[in-house]
């Protein structure tokens, strides 16, 4: 029998038929007997005292069963949790799910109506009476930190949430960055702004809570059913065994559903109060204005180098917008980048400082890449600026600084040990695929000819930390949970296999990839494996899906559980084959007596023997089921080189991405088709930050980009065909060699595109353009460059 | 969100529709690509929706003498595929090709777009450039309103309460994509080396689509050569009042109007239609 390896095969995803057609269970599809529908009244004010709120008029509306405000539930609603209090003295304000006395951002929930239909609940919202007394609105990060600034939380006396520092000199991982700056021949100083972004997952958030007896079942469009169960229990004082959380099929998250939301707790409180099942599904408008946003930081950067291009050190100061409160991991998001600002380079001195600031805006929190795109953007933009300063090719300046393949494992100035990689190989491949030299020639010709459409070439050579995370490291960073993952393998009597995973896919394709792993490890057909996830009743142990961790960590747990199944089956197979277990080997899905390749017994044979248990060896437990929990010893470090060419219309400022090449090294690819899909989606979100998306508040704290007309997500028509390829540096600590791919494209793409846009206009005096590089911003950059050129008398 | 409760009628004749439209809080549903989102956001709350979907008379394109008559309920998709439009009003086809996406083009109608009068919409500007005439029916009969008089203000047309746009009349003749920051439609007739007649319409440069009259005046009778065209196009934004909003500043819109007018006229003269 020939056994084809499943791992490495570009299988189409088994979950896609139901996901694409929508013929599946989304939270919004759930209808329970007697279920009430909730509508939430949201604050139109960015900062105000609620001087009066009266829900009684809503009670008289058709179909309305109940209506209440934050004051009605102030004592029982609890405070939304923050699981990552990054410093001992962090300022951490209460965060009531329903505002009680004060609202601190537009879109904050202030009252709830429960009715027999969604329409009736929405109609009745208009009857709730609220009087607001406006308070000063805090929006600008630097003004918020100034002496005497208006305060988001008056009782805290400050808008500063925390200051966090990493210093390589103090940590013993490198030298002093101030010395490096003082002795440098070249210092590049820049300020970059990471604009505010909206995760904009496809499926809006939705929650159903069913109180039956003393049990609470919560269905939620969440990435984190396990964390949600734990925290709902803690926040509401409900015993954990009385809370079941189900994440049914979930339509995307990008970090936006890595949250314990006000809406989840409001539904819980409403269900407990009313004794009936309740459902809330947000509209897109609600989602944009109230679901957490991402990024929103000011980066002040100083890069020290010698004139030969050797980088000597980097100093980073981040001013990070927390929004009005601290969400689940809000303060930690900038810190996920703290260890990545050195990128793929081996310079000897580094200092990172971050200040978290409160403003009257919706909270920021995880968004695809979370900290690492910001870090990569900073270092990759700086490397381009250094190249220009030294008149070097941007590839060459990188080459002179990056870690060489033979230097792995390499401990960086930020204290991480990079596992494996070959930056030169990935870069060479990308250069060839793009046709780099030819494009440089065309660029020179267009500059020479004064073509109104100029060509720019952008480079981004990135790495990232995946596989969140070694629990000890998380502990040292004051994160409130561990980083392990669990898997359970259940072998059914007919030899079919159920896998219960602690990961919680919401579009990633775990059902397919996990099936491929099990098929190889147990020798069962791909289609015989069913992957169960997202229901804490079946999958009671897990830490869910975010941070490119599921395969890198959960995949190992699954592999280990499979090995345990094989070990358990071995004595049973030996009994069936009438031999000594020590003489057996398990290859190609069969137990065979060493040296006798014919015959043998499969896992299915053993599972039937376990089911009957008529003739098991003495002392053998009649089960093949096994579980495993894996806590990683290190992160994994995928890397890659992304190159792109853009055309910039200098008359209108319009940017068109002409070609884009992504060569990623994600270790061993379990399913190359899924890897490619992840790279495509990631790159698109990265390009979107570079060119299209920005969440904008006006001076009163109203979200101007509150619809998809104004928050401009790109569509396929706005994007180029992507060329993708891979190099493969297996993860040394991983039995499958896999590293993680969920965020790679997003991390790499943004600086690649902005570098390209700036490169196109460099000869016209442009050295930076604020993201997103909209036509107007590009045009304005050209205008101000030509103005300063004229003032400077030309150069 | 869910729209507020609303009464719904689907009349089978234009007269019946006019009768319902006597209710001043009635709204016409002509494809719903703009109205339905407004209803869902509860920015619009009419008492009655008058669905024109059953009015077969208002669909389709026919030739009437030297004019094309396009029924108000003709969908973008139908316009795009119509051989008469392709032959006599290719500008309309070109502009329709880039309206929304396939789904929108199958539901949205030309009458709906014109009556909605969004200054960022492409078809209002195109109707100006085409010198179209709107056929309007009300309780007191039928009248014709030239496109130059039809667009009164932001989202406001010359349609009186109770009146219905039934058709668009386009002289046989010959632009633009998406929600435009700025759109330019240009149409010209050459006589030997000169520009005999030129019409330039701008989208999203004012609360209504407007004609770039300074450019038209400067170029009428001028040589069809860039020495005349370029300075004339620098005047494209004269007399306009573009919005200053999240999408673009007024200054940038003025600049774009000049650049795109130059491209549209150059494209026109070269015999093809440039995109904006």
């Amino acid at each position: 029998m020939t056994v084809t390896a499943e791992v490495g095969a570009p299988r189409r995803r088994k979950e896609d038929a139901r996901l694409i057609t929508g013929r599946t269970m989304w939270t919004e599809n759930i209808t329970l007997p007697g279920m009430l529908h909730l509508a939430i009244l949201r604050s139109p004010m960015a900062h105000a005292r609620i001087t009066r709120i009266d829900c009684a008029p809503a009670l008289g509306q058709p179909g309305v069963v109940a209506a209440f405000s934050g004051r009605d539930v102030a004592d029982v609603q609890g405070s939304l949790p923050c699981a990552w209090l990054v410093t001992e003295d962090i300022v951490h304000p209460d965060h009531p799910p329903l505002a009680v006395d004060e609202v601190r951002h537009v879109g904050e929930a202030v009252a709830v109506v429960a009715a027999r239909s969604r329409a009736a609940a929405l109609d009745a919202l208009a009857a709730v009476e609220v009087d607001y007394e406006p308070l000063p609105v805090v929006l600008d990060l630097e003004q918020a930190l100034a002496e005497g600034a208006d305060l988001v939380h008056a009782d805290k006396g400050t808008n500063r949430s925390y200051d966090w520092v990493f210093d390589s000199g103090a940590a013993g991982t490198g030298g002093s960055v101030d010395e490096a700056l003082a002795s440098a021949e070249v210092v590049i100083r820049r300020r970059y702004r990471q604009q505010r972004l909206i995760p904009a997952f496809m499926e809006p958030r939705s929650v159903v809570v069913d109180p039956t007896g003393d049990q609470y079942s919560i269905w939620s469009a969440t990435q984190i059913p396990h964390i949600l169960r734990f925290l709902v229990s803690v926040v509401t004082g409900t015993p954990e065994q009385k809370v079941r959380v189900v994440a049914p099929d979930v339509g995307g998250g990008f970090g936006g559903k890595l949250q314990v939301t006000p809406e989840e707790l409001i539904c819980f409180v409403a269900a407990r109060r009313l004794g009936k099942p309740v459902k809330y599904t947000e509209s897109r408008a609600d989602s944009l204005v109230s679901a957490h946003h991402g990024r929103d930081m000011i980066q002040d950067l100083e890069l020290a180098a010698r004139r030969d291009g050797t980088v000597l050190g980097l100093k980073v100061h981040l001013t990070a917008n927390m929004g009005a409160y601290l969400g689940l991991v809000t303060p930690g998001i900038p810190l996920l980048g703290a260890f990545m600002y050195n990128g793929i380079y081996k310079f000897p001195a580094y200092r990172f400082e971050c200040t978290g600031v409160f403003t009257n805006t919706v909270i920021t929190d995880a968004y695809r890449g979370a900290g690492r795109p910001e870090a990569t953007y900073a270092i990759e933009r700086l490397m381009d600026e250094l190249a220009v300063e030294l008149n070097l090719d941007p590839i060459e300046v990188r080459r002179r600084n990056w870690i060489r393949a033979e230097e792995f494992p390499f401990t960086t100035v930020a204290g991480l040990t990079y596992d494996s990689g070959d930056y030169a190989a990935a870069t060479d491949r990308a250069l060839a695929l793009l046709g780099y030299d030819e494009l440089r020639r065309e660029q020179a010709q267009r500059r020479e000819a004064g073509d109104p459409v100029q060509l720019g070439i952008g480079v981004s050579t990135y790495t990232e930390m995946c596989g969140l995370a070694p629990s000890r490291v998380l502990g040292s960073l004051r994160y409130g949970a561990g980083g392990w993952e669990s898997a359970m393998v259940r072998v059914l009597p007919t030899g079919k296999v159920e896998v219960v995973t602690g990961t919680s896919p919401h579009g990633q394709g775990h059902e397919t990839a996990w099936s491929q792993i099990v098929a190889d490890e147990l020798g069962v057909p791909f289609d015989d494996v069913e992957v169960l996830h997202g229901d804490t009743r079946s999958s009671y142990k897990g830490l869910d899906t975010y941070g490119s961790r599921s395969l890198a960590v959960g995949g190992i747990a699954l592999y280990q559980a499979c090995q345990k199944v094989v070990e358990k089956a071995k004595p049973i197979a030996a009994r069936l084959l009438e031999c000594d277990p020590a003489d057996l080997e398990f290859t190609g899905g069969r137990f065979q007596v060493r040296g006798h390749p014919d015959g043998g017994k499969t896992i299915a044979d053993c599972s039937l023997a376990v089911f009957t248990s008529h003739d098991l060896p003495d002392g053998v437990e009649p089960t093949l089921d096994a579980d495993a929990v894996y806590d990683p010893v290190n992160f994994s470090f995928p890397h890659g080189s992304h190159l792109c060419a853009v055309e910039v219309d200098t008359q209108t400022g319009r940017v068109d991405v002409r070609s884009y090449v992504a060569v990623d090294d994600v270790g061993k690819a379990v399913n190359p088709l899924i890897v490619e899909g992840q790279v495509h989606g990631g790159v698109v979100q990265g390009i979107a930050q570079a060119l299209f998306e920005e969440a904008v508040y006006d001076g009163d704290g109203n979200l101007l980009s509150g619809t998809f007309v104004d928050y401009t997500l790109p569509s396929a028509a706005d994007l180029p065909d992507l060329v993708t390829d891979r190099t493969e540096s297996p993860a040394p600590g991983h039995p499958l060699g896999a590293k993680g791919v969920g965020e790679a494209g997003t991390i790499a793409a943004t600086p690649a595109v902005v570098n390209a846009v700036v490169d196109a206009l460099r000869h016209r005096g442009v050295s930076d353009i604020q993201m997103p590089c909209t036509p107007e911003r590009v045009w304005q950059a050209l205008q101000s460059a030509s103005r300063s050129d004229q003032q400077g008398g030309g150069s | 969100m869910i729209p507020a409760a609303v009464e719904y009628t689907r009349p089978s004749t234009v007269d019946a529709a006019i009768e319902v439209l006597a209710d001043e809080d009635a709204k016409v549903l002509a494809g719903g690509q703009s109205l339905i989102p407004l209803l869902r956001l509860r920015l619009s709350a009419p008492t009655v929706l008058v669905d024109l979907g059953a009015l077969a008379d208002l669909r389709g394109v026919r030739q009437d003498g030297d004019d094309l008559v396009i029924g108000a309920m003709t969908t973008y998709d139908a316009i795009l595929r119509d051989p008469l439009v392709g032959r006599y009003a290719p500008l309309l086809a070109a502009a329709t090709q880039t309206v929304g996406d396939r789904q929108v083009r199958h539901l949205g109608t030309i009458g709906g777009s014109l009556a909605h009068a969004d200054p960022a919409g492409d078809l209002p500007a195109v109707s100006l450039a085409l010198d179209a005439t709107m056929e309007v029916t009300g309780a007191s009969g039928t009248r014709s309103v030239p496109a130059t008089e039809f667009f009164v203000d932001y989202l406001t047309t010359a349609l009186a309460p109770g009146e219905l746009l039934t058709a668009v009349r386009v002289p046989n003749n010959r632009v633009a994509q998406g929600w435009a920051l700025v759109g330019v439609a240009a149409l010209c007739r050459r006589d030997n080396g000169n520009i005999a007649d030129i019409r330039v319409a701008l989208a999203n440069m004012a609360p209504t689509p407007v004609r770039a009259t300074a450019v038209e005046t400067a170029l009428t009778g001028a040589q069809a050569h860039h020495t005349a065209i370029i300075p004339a196009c620098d005047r494209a934004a004269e007399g306009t009042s573009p919005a200053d909003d999240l999408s673009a500043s007024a200054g940038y819109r003025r600049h774009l109007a000049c650049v795109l007018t130059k491209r549209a006229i150059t494209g026109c003269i070269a015999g093809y239609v440039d995109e904006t």
Side-chain angles (χ1 to χ4, degrees):
Chain A
M1 180 176 100
T2 320
V3 178
T4 315
E6 280 289 343
V7 169
R11 270 217 179 253
R12 287 184 180 233
R13 308 196 318 176
K14 56 163 67 174
E15 50 270 73
D16 276 357
R18 71 171 201 273
L19 294 177
I20 290 169
T21 59
R23 289 170 194 273
T24 186
M25 172 92 95
W26 311 105
T27 302
E28 164 61 16
N29 297 147
I30 294 167
T31 299
L32 299 172
M35 188 167 81
L36 299 174
H37 299 260
L38 301 189
I40 296 177
L41 186 67
R42 297 184 179 279
S43 171
M45 311 285 286
H47 195 190
R49 192 166 291 119
I50 301 173
T51 53
R52 188 182 73 93
I53 184 161
D54 187 2
C55 295
L59 290 172
Q61 302 288 311
V64 172
V65 173
F68 57 90
S69 70
R71 286 183 195 176
D72 299 319
V73 294
D75 298 337
V76 295
Q77 66 174 341
S79 181
L80 289 156
C82 175
W84 202 345
L85 300 172
V86 296
T87 60
E88 207 162 332
D89 58 352
I90 186 171
V91 173
H92 175 210
D94 277 349
H95 188 185
L98 274 172
V100 179
D101 294 318
E102 204 171 310
V103 287
R104 293 186 177 84
H105 66 84
V106 167
E108 190 167 353
V110 297
V112 181
V113 172
R116 297 194 199 285
S117 73
R118 184 154 177 244
L122 285 166
D123 281 342
L125 280 186
V128 176
E129 294 170 9
V130 193
D131 292 341
Y132 295 99
E133 178 189 310
L135 293 168
V137 176
V138 180
L139 293 171
D140 182 86
L141 289 178
E142 290 179 309
Q143 283 172 18
L145 291 172
E147 192 77 24
D150 293 321
L151 296 174
V152 177
H153 298 274
D155 58 322
K156 300 296 181 190
T158 178
N159 292 316
R160 185 183 296 259
S161 176
Y162 66 89
D163 289 302
W164 191 93
V165 177
F166 174 87
D167 188 290
S168 63
T173 56
S176 152
V177 83
D178 287 328
E179 283 171 23
L181 286 163
S183 66
E185 292 164 354
V186 183
V187 176
I188 309 281
R189 289 193 175 82
R190 290 290 185 275
R191 163 171 280 207
Y192 295 133
R193 174 93 200 206
Q194 296 286 330
Q195 78 269 36
R196 184 174 274 252
L197 298 171
I198 301 182
F201 29 74
M202 192 180 290
E203 178 206 14
R205 300 172 306 165
S206 181
V207 193
V208 171
V209 178
D210 177 27
T212 295
D214 59 358
Q215 288 278 343
Y216 291 90
S217 297
I218 303 171
W219 289 263
S220 183
T222 180
Q223 292 175 231
I224 51 161
H226 299 93
I227 294 171
L228 181 61
R229 180 197 200 187
F230 169 74
L231 288 172
V232 162
S233 160
V234 170
V235 169
T236 66
T238 314
E240 192 176 352
Q241 77 277 18
K242 303 293 186 190
V243 179
R244 171 193 182 193
V245 175
V246 186
D249 275 329
V250 174
F254 311 120
K257 292 173 183 169
L258 169 52
Q259 191 59 265
V260 175
T261 67
E263 292 78 9
E264 285 163 338
L265 282 171
I266 289 168
C267 286
F268 186 92
V269 167
R272 186 168 62 184
R273 192 179 161 94
L274 303 173
K276 283 175 178 293
V278 302
K279 177 158 77 179
Y280 170 77
T281 299
E282 68 186 0
S283 66
R284 183 60 68 181
D286 284 335
S287 188
L288 294 173
V289 82
S290 68
H292 77 240
H293 294 173
R295 315 270 198 274
D296 202 344
M297 304 172 191
I298 298 169
Q299 303 174 305
D300 287 300
L301 309 159
E302 292 175 85
L303 183 82
R306 284 204 297 261
R307 291 217 72 87
D308 66 1
T310 310
V311 177
L312 300 174
L314 174 67
K315 190 172 181 176
V316 177
H317 184 88
L318 274 193
T319 311
N321 197 340
M322 305 285 100
Y325 302 96
L326 299 180
L328 185 61
V329 289
T330 300
I333 296 302
L335 276 46
L336 281 171
F339 304 96
M340 288 272 99
Y341 274 81
N342 52 302
I344 62 170
Y345 310 111
K346 50 185 180 185
F347 53 80
Y350 172 55
R351 182 178 170 88
F352 171 94
E353 304 162 350
C354 179
T355 302
V357 184
F358 292 112
T359 60
N360 290 114
T361 57
V362 74
I363 58 166
T364 62
D365 209 315
Y367 173 53
R368 203 167 188 176
R372 291 155 290 167
E374 300 92 305
T376 305
Y377 182 84
I379 187 66
E380 290 303 295
R381 287 284 294 115
L382 289 176
M383 292 307 274
D384 261 34
E385 295 302 305
L386 179 63
V388 169
E389 177 70 28
L390 301 175
N391 202 21
L392 288 171
D393 184 275
I395 301 287
E396 180 56 27
V397 81
R398 286 168 170 80
R399 218 184 277 281
R400 291 184 190 182
N401 286 284
W402 68 39
I403 301 159
R404 294 193 309 272
E406 62 272 20
E407 292 174 310
F408 289 98
F410 183 91
T411 300
T412 71
V413 72
L416 295 179
T417 301
Y418 289 2
D419 51 359
S420 64
D422 189 338
Y423 305 144
T427 304
D428 289 345
R429 183 85 190 114
L431 290 170
L433 285 169
L434 186 76
Y436 184 78
D437 296 335
E438 203 171 304
L439 283 167
R440 284 284 179 215
R441 280 193 291 275
E442 182 185 337
Q443 179 182 47
Q445 282 162 7
R446 289 203 193 196
R447 283 184 182 182
E448 184 69 23
D451 193 325
V453 178
Q454 287 291 318
L455 182 67
I457 302 162
V459 179
S460 169
T461 50
Y462 78 97
T463 186
E464 57 156 331
M465 50 198 269
C466 285
L468 267 52
S471 296
R472 275 188 201 171
V473 175
L474 292 176
S476 72
L477 295 172
R478 305 180 63 92
Y479 183 63
W484 46 264
E485 195 45 83
S486 92
M488 194 184 303
V489 175
R490 311 199 288 221
V491 186
L492 305 178
T494 54
K496 312 291 182 193
V497 179
E498 283 177 344
V499 171
V500 183
T501 177
T503 65
S504 194
H506 40 282
Q508 290 85 352
H510 295 180
E511 291 173 32
T512 300
W514 281 210
S515 296
Q516 289 178 275
I517 293 169
V518 171
D520 275 4
E521 296 308 319
L522 298 185
V524 298
F526 172 83
D527 289 328
D528 284 359
V529 185
E530 195 72 22
V531 179
L532 310 176
H533 54 80
D535 182 344
T536 61
R537 200 173 264 177
S538 56
S539 160
Y540 60 90
K541 191 187 293 186
L543 284 169
D544 308 319
T545 288
Y546 43 86
S548 306
R549 68 184 303 274
S550 293
L551 178 60
V553 184
I556 297 185
L558 178 59
Y559 173 86
Q560 291 179 342
C562 288
Q563 303 312 305
K564 290 184 185 178
V565 170
V566 171
E567 282 310 303
K568 283 186 165 185
K570 195 179 239 183
I572 298 161
R575 170 59 62 97
L576 293 172
L577 290 166
E578 298 176 341
C579 69
D580 189 318
D583 295 335
L584 283 182
E585 58 182 7
F586 187 66
T587 57
R590 298 182 88 80
F591 289 100
Q592 290 167 336
V593 178
R594 236 175 241 103
H596 292 79
D598 299 329
K601 293 290 176 189
T602 64
I603 292 287
D605 295 330
C606 298
S607 71
L608 191 62
V610 162
F611 178 63
T612 60
S613 288
H614 292 165
D615 185 27
L616 296 188
D618 288 344
V620 169
E621 193 185 359
T623 178
L624 297 182
D625 298 354
D627 56 9
V629 179
Y630 177 74
D631 197 339
V633 293
N634 190 9
F635 298 93
S636 64
F637 296 91
H639 70 84
S641 298
H642 288 214
L643 301 178
C644 75
V646 303
E647 290 188 341
V648 181
D649 183 328
T650 56
Q651 293 175 342
T652 64
R654 181 182 162 131
V655 175
D656 281 301
V657 182
R658 184 166 107 178
S659 50
Y660 193 103
V661 170
V663 177
D664 292 281
D665 191 328
V666 299
K668 175 91 183 142
V670 169
N671 183 322
L673 193 60
I674 293 180
V675 168
E676 197 181 347
Q678 285 280 11
V679 170
H680 275 232
V683 166
V684 166
Q685 276 181 317
I687 294 176
Q689 177 174 11
L691 297 181
F692 299 107
E693 297 180 19
E694 181 170 24
V696 181
Y697 285 95
D698 71 10
D700 297 324
N702 298 302
L703 184 68
L704 293 178
S705 48
T707 71
F708 281 155
V709 173
D710 301 302
Y711 189 80
T712 44
L713 292 169
S715 73
D718 300 309
L719 299 160
D721 287 336
L722 306 176
V723 176
T724 62
D725 200 359
R726 290 186 294 113
T727 56
E728 217 170 79
S729 305
H734 195 302
L736 303 169
K739 287 186 170 182
V741 68
E743 295 155 302
T746 311
I747 290 168
T750 309
V753 174
V754 176
N755 278 340
V757 175
V758 173
D759 183 59
L761 305 176
R762 183 77 72 174
H763 65 297
R764 302 268 299 260
V766 173
S767 62
D768 191 33
I769 298 169
Q770 161 69 48
M771 293 188 290
C773 303
T774 58
E776 176 161 16
R777 287 219 176 108
V778 172
W779 180 72
Q780 295 285 11
L782 277 166
Q783 295 304 106
S784 55
S786 77
R787 268 199 302 277
S788 65
D789 190 41
Q790 278 159 16
Q791 281 162 6
S795 60
Chain B
M1 277 236 293
I2 298 174
V6 60
E7 205 181 311
Y8 169 88
T9 62
R10 188 176 163 91
S12 50
T13 65
V14 171
D15 286 347
I18 300 289
E19 211 165 293
V20 190
L21 282 171
D23 180 341
E24 63 180 28
D25 288 327
K27 270 275 181 196
V28 171
L29 182 65
Q33 299 308 295
S34 299
L35 181 58
I36 297 291
L38 292 175
L39 294 177
R40 288 171 66 95
L41 292 166
R42 298 199 173 200
L43 294 172
S44 175
T47 52
V48 54
L49 274 186
V50 188
D51 182 352
L52 305 186
L55 302 181
D57 291 352
L58 298 195
R59 287 189 198 278
V61 181
R62 64 186 168 83
Q63 208 159 1
D64 181 18
D66 282 343
D67 295 345
L68 280 189
V69 179
I70 303 167
M73 285 298 288
T74 311
T75 63
Y76 299 116
D77 186 68
I79 288 171
L80 202 51
R81 292 164 190 280
D82 190 275
L84 291 171
V85 172
R87 189 153 166 205
Y88 297 112
L91 174 62
L92 185 59
T96 306
Q97 198 153 24
T98 52
V99 168
D101 54 26
R102 197 175 290 254
Q103 288 88 336
V104 169
R105 292 195 294 271
H106 272 91
L107 287 166
T109 61
I110 183 169
S113 170
L114 296 173
H116 185 55
D118 190 318
D122 288 324
L123 292 192
V126 168
S127 73
L128 268 192
L130 290 175
D131 220 4
T133 305
M134 312 298 165
E135 296 194 348
V136 173
T137 303
S140 54
T142 298
R143 64 187 181 115
S144 294
V145 185
T148 47
E149 293 168 23
F150 186 73
F151 302 103
V152 174
D153 204 344
Y154 181 73
L155 302 184
T156 309
T157 67
L159 284 172
E163 280 188 329
L164 192 63
L165 173 63
T166 54
V168 187
R169 183 173 286 269
V170 180
N172 286 351
N173 273 318
R174 209 177 206 236
V175 171
Q177 170 164 339
W179 289 112
L181 294 179
V182 172
V184 178
L187 201 64
C188 68
R189 189 164 58 78
R190 285 173 68 166
D191 187 6
N192 290 326
N194 289 341
I195 297 172
D197 193 10
I198 182 160
R199 293 199 290 275
V200 179
L202 308 174
N204 219 12
M205 286 298 291
T208 67
V210 290
R211 294 268 284 265
T213 46
V215 179
E216 293 175 353
T217 310
L219 286 179
T220 304
Q223 221 189 340
H225 188 262
H226 68 266
T227 48
I229 293 168
I230 289 172
C233 291
D234 288 341
R235 303 176 58 190
E238 275 183 26
T240 63
S241 52
D244 206 342
D245 61 25
L246 186 61
S247 308
S249 67
Y252 178 61
R253 283 196 166 98
R254 284 195 194 92
H255 165 76
L256 271 187
C258 298
V259 173
L260 300 181
T261 298
K262 212 170 293 174
R263 291 183 184 180
I265 294 175
T266 311
C268 211
I269 283 171
Y272 66 93
V273 179
D274 198 6
E275 58 155 2
T276 60

